[in-house]
Amino acid sequence: GENVEQHPSTLSVQEGDSAVIKCTYSDSASNYFPWYKQELGKGPQLIIDIRSNVGEKKDQRIAVTLNKTAKHFSLHITETQPEDSAVYFCAAVVGSARQLTFGSGTQLTVLP
Amino acid sequence: DAGVTQSPTHLIKTRGQQVTLRCSPISGHKSVSWYQQVLGQGPQFIFQYYEKEERGRGNFPDRFSARQFPNYSSELNVNALLLGDSALYLCASSLMPGTYNEQFFGPGTRLTVL
């Protein structure tokens, strides 16, 4: 089955710096890669996604890159703010099953 | 507009008991998925339902079952509870199943098995 690995498990950055979270996937049939932010006491919320026919996507301070050959994708947050502090999850969807397989999460802390 | 709602918020059970968790999707959404999130890990897919039919099932034992009602709400049942079933159970809804249909998550039900 699909396996998604996520690194690092914890990440601390100074406010204003950039943060990068990386994920790898195992199934070459994966074709959709969403990123979720989960705040304490809440369910995950989609923040950005990318499809397999695109190499990069950007939305204001957030960007995602995809390398299909290497089977890895990354989340980039620039100009981090304290409100960016949360747990971030990458996920992958395999086309036929259409199920989300999540990574293990990254606890991002933005220090003021 | 109301998001995905789940009830109860918290639940404490003992080993061997049975539990029912409830989910109401966003109005207009016809697909509901259930996930189990153990502390410190990512959510794990349990079930997906669409138009009252099971569309997908994750790697969970038969003690886990679910159903979807005509109003698209859903229930997750877990029988013969084990300590390892302690987790946050998340419900997510989408307009319909499909790779690119965004799933909106509820706040979850925190189940503790003693």
Side-chain angles (χ1 to χ4, degrees), chain A residues 31-32 36 38 41-46 49 51-52 89 93-105, chain B residues 35 37 40-45 48 55-58 88 90 97-108:
Chain A
N31 58 1
Y32 176 62
Y36 288 84
Q38 187 173 25
K42 297 183 179 180
Q45 181 182 14
L46 179 72
D49 56 13
R51 302 185 184 190
S52 59
F89 292 97
V93 171
V94 179
S96 58
R98 302 188 299 273
Q99 298 172 9
L100 282 173
T101 299
F102 284 81
S104 54
Chain B
Y35 293 83
Q37 186 177 22
Q41 297 181 19
Q44 259 198 303
F45 173 76
Q48 183 181 61
R55 284 297 192 96
R57 184 184 182 119
L88 180 69
L90 294 163
T99 300
Y100 306 124
N101 282 284
E102 181 179 350
Q103 294 192 31
F104 294 82
F105 284 83

Side-chain angles (χ1 to χ4, degrees), chain A residues 48-50 56-64 76 78:
Chain A
I48 195 167
D49 56 13
I50 190 167
E56 184 175 356
K57 183 177 178 181
K58 191 173 181 180
D59 182 5
Q60 299 182 335
R61 297 186 297 109
I62 295 174
V64 57
H76 304 253
T78 59

Side-chain angles (χ1 to χ4, degrees), chain A residues 22-104:
Chain A
K22 299 182 179 182
C23 288
T24 59
Y25 60 98
S26 59
D27 195 326
S28 56
S30 296
N31 58 1
Y32 176 62
F33 307 91
W35 285 88
Y36 288 84
K37 176 183 181 181
Q38 187 173 25
E39 297 175 311
L40 206 59
K42 297 183 179 180
Q45 181 182 14
L46 179 72
I47 56 171
I48 195 167
D49 56 13
I50 190 167
R51 302 185 184 190
S52 59
N53 60 346
V54 175
E56 184 175 356
K57 183 177 178 181
K58 191 173 181 180
D59 182 5
Q60 299 182 335
R61 297 186 297 109
I62 295 174
V64 57
T65 58
L66 171 65
N67 183 326
K68 285 193 300 182
T69 304
K71 289 192 267 186
H72 67 70
F73 55 113
S74 301
L75 177 72
H76 304 253
I77 305 175
T78 59
E79 301 172 21
T80 53
Q81 302 166 3
E83 51 265 38
D84 294 330
S85 295
V87 179
Y88 290 81
F89 292 97
C90 62
V93 171
V94 179
S96 58
R98 302 188 299 273
Q99 298 172 9
L100 282 173
T101 299
F102 284 81
S104 54

Side-chain angles (χ1 to χ4, degrees), chain B:
Chain B
D1 286 343
V4 177
T5 58
Q6 293 185 243
S7 63
T9 305
H10 296 88
L11 204 51
I12 299 175
K13 293 285 187 178
T14 57
R15 282 178 297 176
Q17 285 189 311
Q18 175 263 341
V19 68
T20 298
L21 311 180
R22 296 175 175 82
C23 171
S24 291
I26 291 172
S27 178
H29 285 195
K30 298 182 178 181
S31 180
V32 169
S33 297
W34 287 95
Y35 293 83
Q36 180 195 64
Q37 186 177 22
V38 174
L39 198 62
Q41 297 181 19
Q44 259 198 303
F45 173 76
I46 309 175
F47 286 111
Q48 183 181 61
Y49 275 78
Y50 175 63
E51 296 283 10
K52 298 183 291 180
E53 298 286 327
E54 182 183 303
R55 284 297 192 96
R57 184 184 182 119
N59 188 24
F60 280 81
D62 291 342
R63 299 184 296 106
F64 289 76
S65 63
R67 55 179 176 167
Q68 187 178 32
F69 299 97
N71 66 353
Y72 305 110
S73 66
S74 178
E75 286 182 352
L76 175 71
N77 287 281
V78 187
N79 293 322
L81 286 167
L82 304 175
L83 295 180
D85 295 330
S86 295
L88 180 69
Y89 288 85
L90 294 163
C91 172
S93 77
S94 59
L95 284 169
M96 58 186 66
T99 300
Y100 306 124
N101 282 284
E102 181 179 350
Q103 294 192 31
F104 294 82
F105 284 83
T109 293
R110 172 72 63 188
L111 172 65
T112 301
V113 182
L114 302 176

